[in-house]
């Protein structure tokens, strides 16, 4: 297990993880009363079977409208800091505030959510146990949601059994070869760093010459951040299609098509780690692409998909 190598998770001093807080957060995560018309919960767009992402290219809000970005997988976020593809929010407590009032998502207001939860004796009891007060407010709701999201961890894949537990039979020869490419000449690990398979940084992997979505640059206002997006984790990547912030790729073969000849080296702010592709326009043979995909498939955590502790209570 790689936990020791990851460093300390982000547990805010004013919101430690408790059994009661996580249980309440789980109930709220699947609570449709958070949305204006009682039709959407967090779990509607973050589906357990898809590693808490959405198989639809763009999730739909309660009025059927959708935003321009793919829903993100919610694993191992206890080690993350800036949230969303563009990093516009710091921390999971602040993040949980957004979907409830987002006009493209739950389209609600916090006073309405507070009134609904305060009208429930069951919820008042659960908040009392978790936070010592039965007067429900948005701060406690977002704290509980953040606790539940921090409890979603995924470190049980064939790769983990091979790499950390020393089980040489856990990965096929193809996947082992793919791992070697991933960490050496493929340069993938420079950004998708094991064991989180993200460095939690914001980078431009050369998708576009012109940015329809400006990513982190629109948040910071710094031209050097234009076109940069959060490096997504590759854990459970076989479960989280479609791919990239705008869902432009449907399969891992299409993703590999990008890294194997499709990288725009003249894209503004393209990452220095992409230089390799500049020097090698098609760095991988068909066999190597096959092996890299076999490795990506070995990052699937089967237990996560059905873990009862993370399912709708
Ligand atoms: C209508 C669909 C929808 C609903 C409902 C929804 N989300 Fe999301 N979620 C998304 C999308 C899309 C993104 C990426 C948005 C972006 O980057 O601008 C996202 C991003 C996130 C992230 C950021 C992950 C990261 O790695 O930075 C977290 C955490 C999250 N959602 C948690 C929640 C919680 C908690 C709820 C319920 C309060 C919720 N979401 C409700 C669609 C949804
Ligand atoms: C310079 C950093 C960098 C390098 C090197 C890199 N990636 Fe990425 N990767 C990213 C970023 C950033 C994204 C998201 C881009 C976006 O959506 O705008 C991404 C997205 C992906 C996705 C889609 C993830 C999702 O959830 O949608 C896959 C799969 C992927 N990369 C695999 C690889 C592989 C395999 C390699 C090596 C051949 C590699 N990456 C090399 C930064 C990098």
């Amino acid at each position: 297990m790689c936990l020791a190598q990851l460093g300390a998770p982000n547990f805010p001093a004013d919101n430690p993880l408790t059994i009661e807080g996580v249980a309440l957060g789980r109930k709220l995560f699947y609570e449709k009363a958070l949305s204006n018309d009682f039709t959407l919960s967090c779990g509607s767009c973050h589906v357990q079977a898809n590693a808490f992402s959405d198989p639809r290219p763009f999730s739909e809000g309660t009025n059927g409208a959708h935003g321009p970005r793919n829903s993100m997988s919610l694993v191992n976020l206890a080690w993350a800091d800036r949230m969303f593809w563009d990093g516009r929010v710091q921390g999971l407590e602040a993040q949980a505030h957004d979907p409830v009032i987002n006009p493209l998502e739950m389209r609600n207001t916090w006073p309405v959510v507070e009134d609904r939860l305060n009208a429930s004796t069951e919820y008042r009891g659960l908040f009392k146990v978790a936070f010592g007060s039965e007067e429900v407010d948005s701060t406690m709701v977002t704290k509980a949601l953040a606790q539940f999201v921090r409890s979603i961890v995924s470190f049980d894949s064939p790769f983990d059994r091979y790499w950390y537990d020393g089980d040489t039979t856990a990965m096929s020869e193809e996947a082992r070869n793919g791992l070697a490419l991933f960490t050496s000449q493929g340069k993938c690990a420079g950004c998708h760093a094991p064991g989180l398979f993200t460095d939690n940084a914001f980078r431009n992997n050369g998708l576009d010459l012109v940015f329809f979505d400006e990513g982190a640059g629109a948040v910071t206002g710094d031209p050097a951040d234009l076109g940069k997006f959060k490096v997504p984790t590759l854990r459970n990547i076989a479960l989280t299609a479609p791919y990239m912030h705008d869902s432009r790729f449907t399969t891992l073969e299409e993703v590999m098509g990008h890294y194997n000849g499709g990288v725009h080296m003249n894209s503004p702010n393209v990452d220095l780690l992409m230089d390799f592709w500049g020097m090698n326009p098609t760095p991988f043979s068909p066999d190597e692409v096959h092996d890299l995909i076999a490795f990506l498939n070995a990052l699937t955590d089967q237990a996560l998909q059905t873990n009862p502790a993370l399912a709708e209570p």
Side-chain angles (χ1 to χ4, degrees):
M1 179 44 74
C2 59
L3 283 180
Q5 296 165 31
L6 294 177
N10 291 326
F11 289 147
D14 65 350
N15 192 26
L17 233 57
T18 63
I19 290 175
E20 295 79 10
V22 171
L24 174 56
R26 172 182 168 197
K27 190 170 163 63
L28 290 166
F29 188 86
Y30 292 102
E31 179 54 77
K32 292 184 171 164
L34 263 51
S35 65
N36 66 332
D37 63 359
F38 297 88
T39 58
L40 277 191
S41 71
C42 311
S44 307
C45 304
H46 298 285
V47 184
Q48 182 176 14
N50 299 101
F52 296 93
S53 71
D54 192 335
R56 296 170 295 180
F58 306 109
S59 319
E60 284 178 15
T62 58
N63 62 347
H66 62 73
R69 293 183 185 155
N70 184 225
S71 171
M72 304 169 86
S73 169
L74 304 184
V75 304
N76 303 336
L77 290 179
W79 286 269
D81 186 16
R82 285 162 67 195
M83 298 297 155
F84 294 118
W85 282 108
D86 54 14
R88 66 184 179 274
V89 164
Q90 187 90 23
L92 283 168
E93 284 77 5
Q95 186 284 325
H97 198 263
D98 179 282
V100 170
I101 56 171
N102 190 317
L104 296 169
E105 297 186 352
M106 293 169 142
R107 301 172 56 78
N108 211 340
T109 69
W110 275 105
V112 167
V113 172
E114 289 166 346
D115 285 351
R116 285 179 186 173
L117 296 174
N118 274 313
S120 154
T121 39
E122 187 194 359
Y123 267 117
R124 288 176 72 89
L126 294 171
F127 276 94
K128 173 89 178 152
V129 178
F131 296 108
S133 163
E134 58 175 19
E135 200 53 50
V136 181
D137 65 23
S138 63
T139 305
M140 290 193 290
V141 177
T142 55
K143 280 185 174 179
L145 283 165
Q147 284 192 41
F148 173 66
V149 174
R150 281 193 188 97
S151 80
I152 306 175
V153 290
S154 178
F155 297 107
D156 185 10
S157 66
F159 162 78
D160 294 285
R161 289 194 281 284
Y162 171 77
W163 189 255
Y164 298 108
D165 303 341
D167 176 356
T168 49
T169 63
M171 288 207 312
S172 67
E173 191 185 339
E174 292 160 323
R176 293 199 302 267
N177 189 35
L179 168 62
L181 289 165
F182 187 89
T183 51
S184 59
Q185 64 261 48
K187 306 280 181 207
C188 318
C191 300
H192 301 284
L196 294 173
F197 288 90
T198 171
D199 62 356
N200 282 317
F202 294 78
R203 300 176 184 269
N204 174 5
N205 64 342
L207 289 171
D208 294 306
L209 285 174
V210 177
F211 304 126
F212 168 73
D213 184 335
E214 295 180 332
V219 174
T220 64
D222 183 346
D225 288 334
L226 290 172
K228 292 186 182 172
F229 292 87
K230 188 172 188 170
V231 175
T233 180
L234 299 185
R235 284 192 174 272
N236 307 297
I237 193 72
L239 305 176
T240 65
Y243 303 111
M244 304 299 170
H245 69 272
D246 57 2
S247 299
R248 69 180 64 191
F249 300 131
T250 310
T251 62
L252 290 173
E253 284 75 12
E254 287 175 28
V255 171
M256 286 313 302
H258 164 65
Y259 285 113
N260 204 28
V263 175
H264 289 290
M265 289 309 299
N266 294 326
S267 174
N269 307 317
V270 70
D271 203 276
L272 284 177
L273 281 165
M274 302 304 293
D275 270 0
F276 168 70
W277 284 272
M279 291 178 285
N280 305 273
T282 52
F284 306 116
S285 70
D287 278 351
E288 289 174 329
V289 169
H290 174 89
D291 291 353
L292 273 163
I293 292 175
F295 168 64
L296 293 175
N297 281 316
L299 291 173
T300 302
D301 180 341
Q302 299 290 348
L304 174 81
Q305 298 164 62
T306 51
N307 181 350
L310 303 175
E312 184 163 1

